[in-house]
Amino acid sequence: MLNARDILETIEMIQNENLDVRTITMGISLLDCCDSNPLRACAKIYEKITCQAKNLVKTGEDIEREYGIPIINKRISVTPIAMVAAASGGDPVEFAKTLDKAAHTVGVNFIGGYSALVHKGFGPGDRALIDSIPEALAVTERVCSSVNVGSTKAGINMDAVALMGRIVRQTAEKTADRQCIGAAKLVVFCNAPEDNPFMAGAFHGPGEPDCVINVGVSGPGVVRSALSKAGDCDITQVADLIKRTAFKITRMGQLVAQEASRRLGVPFGIVDLSLAPTPAVGDSVAHILEEMGLESCGTHGTTAALALLNDAVKKGGVMASSHVGGLSGAFIPVTEDAGMIDAARAGVLTIEKLEAMTAVCSVGLDMIVIPGDTTPETISAIIADEAAIGMVNSKTTAVRVIPAIGKQVGDELVFGGLLGSGPVMPLNGKSPERFIHRGGRIPAPLQSLKN
């Protein structure tokens, strides 16, 4: 039962602490759009998306206005296009253009699912789609792409890892005149979830319903504010406070998800509990860690503090929603987090420390700007390292790095909006080329044998 104090507390969270619903994402299956004729397949895709999602943006705006809860993004995820395009053998880029056109028509800011799942090998259409990613992301505005190269059950497809190093670099080169934005819309996964509402990695998995509503909540500023008011309590009390705060944040997300589901006549899928930061001052995961007592995010103790935060967010949030899914934890995208941007600029936060942090939080090496002369093999090795963390720890990990073509350490890329900006971070200069060119598969770990 809500009382006046609860209501006033929520108003304070929204007005002064950046509490929001980060995204309402409609997942749409395109399996019934498969056709041997690529033109007919694209027409079916456009018709289904624009029909299913025609009221998505308006509904989100109506809920936002009526409940006073900011809903920052309205998005769409679709069946991995490699699966759909394989039926026609057509040019995958035409499918990307169709997705982009549909996204513009219904007014969403991003559409995810220009994707392939190749953790155990390449199926029909996978290689063609992956090869087309640089062109597809260069000629579209709102399309996001992802490739899953590993899983705990299957191991890591090192042929795909080697390929994705080249694709990430080519994507950055294709959009070098636009701050290499293409690479910011491309993510390489291990253990990719089928119901993730966040971009750039969202796709609508084959095990999902025909259409579904997934919601991603946020609120780093709320957690930081709660800790600042708590004073010098001990670590156990810090964890309990974060759990209580995460519960309140997630309850709001559950309300929005159920209301959107009811109004759109579409099943409610999941609430993703992730604390998703923004470049806005006060809306930073790094600042939460610093509020715990670290002088700067990236110093010794950062991984332990992040582990506490991630665990407490999950424990508090899972009690507040009937269905939790997606990624659910704490995101650490460097260019999207004001505190991490400052720590990276100061040289306190390094890519090696970020890699250690990814072992205990959601996703992985996210929105990291790297030197423009980074080789494809080095990018592949970064992907392999991160996939290994995900595979061995039975968790989702990912890599979204942006080679800053023509720029070096100390320079910056500026994307604007939620993608923010960030400095070019240094990498280890020794070559992993021979290791990457071996190809093959890294076998699944022993803990995969759980049947």
Side-chain angles (χ1 to χ4, degrees), residues 198-274:
F198 287 103
M199 299 297 169
F203 64 87
H204 188 70
E208 293 288 300
D210 185 62
C211 190
V212 71
I213 289 292
N214 297 320
V215 165
V217 298
S218 189
V222 177
V223 176
R224 178 177 182 265
S225 177
L227 287 174
S228 69
K229 295 171 185 174
D232 291 327
C233 54
D234 68 23
I235 290 297
T236 303
Q237 292 169 315
V238 167
D240 287 341
L241 179 59
I242 294 171
K243 283 191 289 185
R244 291 196 300 271
T245 306
F247 180 90
K248 296 171 185 176
I249 294 169
T250 307
R251 271 321 252 181
M252 183 198 70
Q254 172 90 355
L255 168 69
V256 170
Q258 290 180 325
E259 189 63 19
S261 171
R262 182 185 67 81
R263 296 187 185 196
L264 291 165
V266 172
F268 160 52
I270 56 93
V271 173
D272 187 316
L273 321 171
S274 299

Side-chain angles (χ1 to χ4, degrees), residues 351-433:
I351 196 162
E352 290 82 9
K353 186 60 177 178
L354 282 163
E355 183 179 305
M357 292 163 67
T358 63
V360 300
C361 77
S362 295
V363 199
L365 296 172
D366 195 16
M367 290 302 291
I368 297 172
V369 184
I370 59 177
D373 59 358
T374 304
T375 65
E377 290 80 10
T378 295
I379 297 172
S380 294
I382 293 170
I383 293 169
D385 282 344
E386 202 57 35
I389 290 173
M391 176 187 71
V392 171
N393 291 287
S394 301
K395 70 185 292 292
T396 301
T397 52
V399 171
R400 183 165 48 150
V401 294
I402 303 100
I405 306 303
K407 296 181 182 293
Q408 292 299 322
V409 174
D411 296 332
E412 295 208 4
L413 288 182
V414 180
F415 304 107
L418 283 176
L419 295 179
S421 63
V424 178
M425 299 181 70
L427 299 178
N428 190 310
K430 297 298 182 180
S431 174
E433 183 174 348

Side-chain angles (χ1 to χ4, degrees), residues 7-25:
I7 294 169
L8 291 172
E9 184 180 51
T10 302
I11 293 171
E12 170 72 11
M13 289 177 178
I14 292 170
Q15 290 184 341
N16 300 322
E17 298 167 5
N18 299 305
L19 176 62
D20 58 51
V21 169
R22 187 53 46 87
T23 181
I24 294 178
T25 300

Side-chain angles (χ1 to χ4, degrees), residues 18-224:
N18 299 305
L19 176 62
D20 58 51
V21 169
R22 187 53 46 87
T23 181
I24 294 178
T25 300
M26 177 178 281
I28 302 173
S29 174
L30 301 181
L31 292 176
D32 56 346
C33 298
C34 293
D35 197 293
S36 59
N37 184 312
L39 294 178
R40 283 200 301 265
C42 286
K44 290 179 182 179
I45 289 170
Y46 179 81
E47 181 180 358
K48 183 164 188 182
I49 292 172
T50 54
C51 178
Q52 293 277 25
K54 62 183 178 182
N55 295 320
L56 176 62
V57 172
K58 180 181 183 301
T59 298
E61 291 172 347
D62 288 346
I63 294 172
E64 184 175 12
R65 183 171 54 253
E66 292 173 28
Y67 287 87
I69 299 170
I71 301 173
I72 307 303
N73 299 299
K74 295 84 180 174
R75 296 167 170 171
I76 295 170
S77 63
V78 299
T79 304
I81 290 298
M83 299 171 63
V84 181
S88 67
D91 181 3
V93 175
E94 294 305 312
F95 288 83
K97 291 177 180 177
T98 299
L99 295 179
D100 201 49
K101 181 182 176 183
H104 278 275
T105 299
V106 300
V108 295
N109 70 317
F110 282 125
I111 184 166
Y114 198 74
S115 307
L117 311 178
V118 295
H119 39 283
K120 210 168 183 178
F122 297 94
D126 290 334
R127 185 61 189 258
L129 182 130
I130 292 172
D131 286 339
S132 75
I133 287 173
E135 177 69 16
L137 297 185
V139 300
T140 60
E141 180 186 358
R142 305 188 184 189
V143 172
C144 290
S145 180
S146 60
V147 177
N148 193 67
V149 298
S151 74
T152 299
K153 284 290 187 183
I156 302 172
N157 182 350
M158 290 300 291
D159 294 322
V161 168
L163 175 59
M164 288 311 300
R166 298 195 296 273
I167 294 300
V168 169
R169 180 167 178 86
Q170 290 169 15
T171 304
E173 291 171 344
K174 280 274 189 180
T175 53
D177 59 335
R178 286 169 281 161
Q179 299 288 292
C180 307
I181 188 66
K185 298 187 292 176
L186 170 60
V187 59
V188 186
F189 273 115
C190 177
N191 289 321
E194 296 188 355
D195 54 5
N196 165 28
F198 287 103
M199 299 297 169
F203 64 87
H204 188 70
E208 293 288 300
D210 185 62
C211 190
V212 71
I213 289 292
N214 297 320
V215 165
V217 298
S218 189
V222 177
V223 176
R224 178 177 182 265

Side-chain angles (χ1 to χ4, degrees), residues 258-297:
Q258 290 180 325
E259 189 63 19
S261 171
R262 182 185 67 81
R263 296 187 185 196
L264 291 165
V266 172
F268 160 52
I270 56 93
V271 173
D272 187 316
L273 321 171
S274 299
L275 290 181
T278 73
V281 175
D283 201 26
S284 161
V285 169
H287 288 160
I288 297 174
L289 305 180
E290 290 164 1
E291 193 64 53
M292 290 184 193
L294 302 176
E295 183 177 355
S296 172
C297 177

